[in-house]
Amino acid sequence: MAKKRQRVTLEDVAREAGVSSMTVSRVINNTGRIGSETRARVREVINRLDYRPSRAARALVTSRTYLIGVVVPDITNPYFAEIVQGVEHVAWEHDFSVLLTNTDENPRREEAVLSQLDESTVDGLIVVSSRLPDATLLPLLERHPALVTVNRDVPHQLASMVRNLHGMDHRPVVAIQHLIEGGRQRIGCLALKRSAIQISRERYIALLTAAGLEVSPDWYRLCPPNFEGGLAVMRELLAQCPELDSIVAGNDRVALGVLRAATEAGRRVPADLAIVGGDDTLLASQVTPALSTFNVPKFEIGAMAARLLLRQIGGDSEYHEYLYDETLIVRDSSP
Amino acid sequence: MAKKRQRVTLEDVAREAGVSSMTVSRVINNTGRIGSETRARVREVINRLDYRPSRAARALVTSRTYLIGVVVPDITNPYFAEIVQGVEHVAWEHDFSVLLTNTDENPRREEAVLSQLDESTVDGLIVVSSRLPDATLLPLLERHPALVTVNRDVPHQLASMVRNLHGMDHRPVVAIQHLIEGGRQRIGCLALKRSAIQISRERYIALLTAAGLEVSPDWYRLCPPNFEGGLAVMRELLAQCPELDSIVAGNDRVALGVLRAATEAGRRVPADLAIVGGDDTLLASQVTPALSTFNVPKFEIGAMAARLLLRQIGGDSEYHEYLYDETLIVRDSSP
DNA sequence: CTGTTAGCGCCTTCAG
DNA sequence: CTGAAGGCGCTAACAG
């Protein structure tokens, strides 16, 4: 398994081609005017020697790394994976690479990551669904020269943003309305712990009250944003509040946990219990009964975040935002 | 959104602390002997000035980027996402970051990526389930100083490997045996297009023949490794070969497509058609009927790949490998 | 159109 | 234990 090779440098190419290193540099970067025969000769040598510029050297002098940092809470969740896919796609088109950081839903880790991914490491940063409170997040963001947040409101001076057209709690609000219209009387809510895409207990209570429905603060629970979380919290909720006839889940994986817990408890879905999920993941459509959910343009969210970021990296210091829409998809799990 | 700041350099710190830049360097890298009071003073200045070393400069001189490149065919597939999670986890422990490259199941793109991620970009590379034929893959790999492949046999001189203990076609072979033992008579196979974890048509035919069962070359199909692929290919297969009573699918998402196609066609699973999937994804367990599949230690695969790679980066030029086991999980979709 | 000069910020080497 | 010199590979800014 021994392999090594001396790095071929600009000078090597220059010497071999009988020109100065600047000429080679210009050929590579397609900058400045170069005689076409010189260019051809240099190109030939570059290929022959298999020369490839050193990113480190270039970065040192241009202070451009051509790297985009992406911070996500859980790459294992297809929701985030598709966003990353979108970022990667656009980055690639612009000859940027993606530095992925998965914080494993661990705020400490997110904190560490945000302070380590400085401008000598990446040219810009996309922070997706940060799990940090403003008090810790904002100071960390201040140091980043180019920044885009996804699903997180921060001051416009700090970052461009990709977010829901209708606001952060749009999804749960619409889900609740849908359940109300479907005639559900006792609607529970599993809100995503630490996520910004969430409805507050107060708002939840207010909505149901306004609709003239019964509510209990107990029907609202914070829940880890995954299957296990949904399962555990729902088991508990179902045991303590068996009167519930429907549940708004923060995302699809939580909804799946809810579905499982409901099945275990012998509840028929949707007859005894209606469920609405969150993001339109493959899971949601393939499970039985198929889960009502929201279609979210995940790839496009990632792609737009990357575009906004590249704009900043390119020198545009204005605030920009991309608003996406998400619409309810009604399937078998709800009225 | 205007933000900028002059980079604080080693010299700045040195000047402020009244020492030479070398001393500061040594303090940062914990190298050489330094007087404890000097060290304390330097540390204080570092914190006060919020100094952070330039990765680019460091990389230029040490030719270490502290970056690990990971190439996956589809980050959207939880199977790969969990592997990436494992890589990221271990990388993080060792102060390495992960450069993610998603090739979108596009061999051209994989090719481009492999030739661009050279040693000035990453310290090493983990190639997961390459979709390239040996003829194009091997030459590309030769240039990488530190390399680990996952689920792909390459010459030991080229890379360390993480792979299935029982060989690349272990999964389909076991699945077929399981179906045979379950009394299935006409077993079809959806093999993953371009994947190395696959059984060949010849082997497939040989296995069934050896078991004294009927076979047709037509019952074996290559299939894109995702839900849509499984759905489309299975629709066709079911139309053309309605006699099949069971299917071995290359992975869970394909199996899900198969399940869907079967349902559409009015086939009951497993009564009319048994299905075995591939990797133990959340999907497989939550769908109805729950899919038989194989449990694969995805996180651990990624983690071990990272460990093997770090070993190489650390200078160990021996060949190493990590063999993992995967066992059949029988659920409702098969006998 | 092409070459020269001067660093980018850090670490290696060798002196003290 | 600490410092001075030199250079990693590249490009910006001037020459010509």
Side-chain angles (χ1 to χ4, degrees):
Chain A
M1 282 212 16
K3 281 173 299 180
K4 79 177 77 169
R5 183 182 357 184
Q6 265 320 16
R7 165 166 275 290
V8 179
T9 76
L10 215 52
E11 306 274 9
D12 297 329
V13 177
R15 198 176 320 114
E16 183 77 12
V19 295
S20 81
S21 58
M22 256 335 283
T23 302
V24 181
S25 171
R26 293 203 250 267
V27 169
I28 286 176
N29 297 298
N30 250 313
T31 177
R33 259 157 295 285
I34 302 270
S36 57
E37 55 196 46
T38 311
R39 178 191 310 277
R41 184 153 35 92
V42 170
R43 285 246 169 82
E44 185 274 324
V45 175
I46 288 177
N47 288 328
R48 182 149 51 77
L49 267 46
D50 190 31
Y51 166 72
R52 16 203 59 214
S54 151
R55 281 224 199 199
R58 182 176 282 172
L60 182 57
V61 61
T62 61
S63 48
R64 273 295 179 73
T65 60
Y66 293 93
L67 253 39
I68 288 180
V70 179
V71 182
V72 295
D74 181 9
I75 189 60
T76 268
N77 184 336
Y79 173 73
F80 294 119
E82 286 185 37
I83 290 179
V84 169
Q85 185 189 30
V87 172
E88 226 263 343
H89 191 87
V90 170
W92 175 259
E93 287 177 353
H94 295 262
D95 287 314
F96 275 69
S97 303
V98 170
L99 202 67
L100 177 72
T101 330
N102 184 212
T103 63
D104 273 332
E105 297 284 356
N106 179 347
R108 308 284 285 272
R109 182 140 172 209
E110 185 179 341
E111 215 177 318
V113 158
L114 286 178
S115 61
Q116 282 176 33
L117 250 48
D118 66 331
E119 60 249 66
S120 83
T121 310
V122 295
D123 290 340
L125 208 54
I126 297 175
V127 180
V128 183
S129 296
S130 171
R131 303 313 196 196
L132 294 173
D134 278 358
T136 49
L137 179 62
L138 300 188
L140 286 169
L141 297 188
E142 267 167 23
R143 334 201 297 197
H144 287 279
L147 192 64
V148 174
T149 60
V150 175
N151 290 335
R152 172 69 169 234
D153 279 320
V154 298
H156 291 3
Q157 311 88 274
L158 287 183
S160 288
M161 288 171 28
V162 174
R163 58 196 181 79
N164 185 291
L165 171 60
H166 305 287
M168 292 301 182
D169 59 5
H170 173 251
R171 247 149 69 171
V173 168
V174 170
I176 288 172
Q177 282 166 348
H178 161 65
L179 290 171
I180 293 176
E181 282 162 18
R184 301 291 164 162
Q185 303 286 319
R186 289 171 302 280
I187 303 172
C189 181
L190 264 52
L192 301 183
K193 194 186 269 182
R194 293 204 201 87
S195 172
I197 318 194
Q198 220 23 102
I199 189 172
S200 66
R201 178 176 259 128
E202 293 69 35
R203 181 95 198 274
Y204 157 78
I205 292 177
L207 273 176
L208 292 190
T209 307
L213 292 179
E214 189 184 344
V215 213
S216 155
D218 236 32
W219 294 353
Y220 174 99
R221 305 273 163 119
L222 287 176
C223 173
N226 50 40
F227 175 75
E228 291 74 20
L231 182 57
V233 174
M234 191 59 192
R235 277 177 180 154
E236 203 180 285
L237 185 56
L238 225 37
Q240 297 170 1
C241 312
E243 66 275 18
L244 290 171
D245 63 12
S246 51
I247 292 288
V248 172
N251 68 28
D252 281 355
R253 311 192 91 170
V254 168
L256 206 67
V258 169
L259 176 57
R260 166 83 11 198
T263 310
E264 282 177 9
R267 303 295 210 93
R268 289 164 308 158
V269 176
D272 302 335
L273 192 83
I275 302 174
V276 180
D279 30 62
D280 184 29
T281 265
L282 178 59
L283 267 170
S285 61
Q286 296 308 315
V287 119
T288 313
L291 288 173
S292 295
T293 187
F294 289 82
N295 77 333
V296 187
K298 300 170 279 286
F299 181 94
E300 197 50 28
I301 288 173
M304 278 306 310
R307 289 194 195 103
L308 292 181
L309 188 65
L310 288 170
R311 225 156 132 167
Q312 282 186 48
I313 292 174
D316 180 353
S317 59
E318 294 298 304
Y319 169 76
H320 295 284
E321 63 185 5
Y322 170 65
L323 301 177
Y324 64 86
D325 200 3
E326 51 194 9
T327 55
L328 179 64
I329 304 179
V330 177
R331 289 200 276 240
D332 301 340
S333 71
S334 76
Chain B
M1 283 214 19
K3 281 173 297 181
K4 79 177 77 168
R5 183 181 358 188
Q6 266 320 17
R7 166 164 275 289
V8 179
T9 76
L10 215 52
E11 306 274 10
D12 298 328
V13 176
R15 199 176 319 114
E16 183 77 11
V19 297
S20 83
S21 58
M22 257 333 287
T23 303
V24 181
S25 172
R26 292 202 252 265
V27 169
I28 286 176
N29 297 300
N30 252 314
T31 177
R33 259 157 294 287
I34 302 272
S36 57
E37 54 196 48
T38 313
R39 179 192 308 278
R41 186 154 32 92
V42 170
R43 284 247 170 82
E44 185 273 324
V45 176
I46 288 176
N47 288 327
R48 183 150 50 77
L49 267 45
D50 191 30
Y51 165 71
R52 16 203 61 215
S54 152
R55 281 227 199 197
R58 182 176 282 172
L60 181 57
V61 62
T62 61
S63 50
R64 272 295 178 73
T65 60
Y66 293 94
L67 254 37
I68 288 180
V70 179
V71 182
V72 295
D74 181 8
I75 188 61
T76 268
N77 184 337
Y79 173 74
F80 294 119
E82 286 184 37
I83 290 178
V84 169
Q85 187 189 28
V87 172
E88 225 263 343
H89 190 88
V90 170
W92 176 258
E93 287 177 354
H94 296 260
D95 288 314
F96 275 70
S97 302
V98 169
L99 202 66
L100 176 72
T101 330
N102 183 213
T103 63
D104 273 332
E105 297 285 355
N106 179 346
R108 308 283 286 273
R109 184 141 171 205
E110 185 180 342
E111 214 177 319
V113 159
L114 286 178
S115 61
Q116 282 177 33
L117 250 48
D118 66 329
E119 61 250 66
S120 82
T121 309
V122 295
D123 290 340
L125 207 54
I126 296 176
V127 180
V128 183
S129 297
S130 172
R131 303 312 197 197
L132 294 174
D134 277 359
T136 50
L137 179 63
L138 299 187
L140 285 171
L141 296 189
E142 266 166 25
R143 337 203 294 196
H144 286 279
L147 192 63
V148 174
T149 60
V150 175
N151 290 334
R152 173 67 168 235
D153 278 320
V154 297
H156 290 3
Q157 312 88 274
L158 287 184
S160 288
M161 288 172 25
V162 174
R163 57 195 183 79
N164 186 292
L165 171 60
H166 304 287
M168 291 302 181
D169 58 5
H170 174 250
R171 247 148 70 168
V173 168
V174 170
I176 289 172
Q177 283 164 349
H178 161 64
L179 290 171
I180 292 176
E181 282 161 18
R184 300 292 165 162
Q185 302 285 321
R186 289 172 301 281
I187 303 172
C189 181
L190 264 53
L192 301 183
K193 195 185 272 182
R194 295 206 199 85
S195 172
I197 318 193
Q198 220 22 98
I199 189 171
S200 67
R201 176 178 260 127
E202 293 69 35
R203 182 95 199 272
Y204 158 77
I205 293 177
L207 273 176
L208 293 190
T209 307
L213 292 179
E214 188 185 344
V215 213
S216 154
D218 236 31
W219 294 354
Y220 176 100
R221 305 273 164 117
L222 287 175
C223 174
N226 49 41
F227 174 74
E228 291 74 19
L231 181 57
V233 174
M234 190 59 191
R235 276 177 180 156
E236 204 179 284
L237 184 56
L238 225 37
Q240 296 169 4
C241 312
E243 66 275 18
L244 291 170
D245 64 12
S246 52
I247 293 288
V248 172
N251 68 28
D252 281 356
R253 310 193 90 170
V254 168
L256 206 65
V258 169
L259 175 57
R260 167 85 8 201
T263 310
E264 282 177 7
R267 303 293 212 95
R268 288 164 310 157
V269 176
D272 303 334
L273 192 83
I275 303 175
V276 179
D279 31 64
D280 184 29
T281 262
L282 177 59
L283 266 171
S285 61
Q286 296 308 315
V287 120
T288 313
L291 289 173
S292 294
T293 187
F294 289 82
N295 77 333
V296 187
K298 300 170 279 287
F299 182 94
E300 198 51 28
I301 288 174
M304 279 306 309
R307 290 195 193 101
L308 292 180
L309 187 65
L310 287 171
R311 227 156 130 165
Q312 283 187 45
I313 291 173
D316 180 351
S317 59
E318 295 298 303
Y319 170 77
H320 295 284
E321 63 185 6
Y322 170 64
L323 300 176
Y324 63 86
D325 199 4
E326 51 194 9
T327 56
L328 180 65
I329 304 178
V330 177
R331 290 200 275 239
D332 301 340
S333 73
S334 76

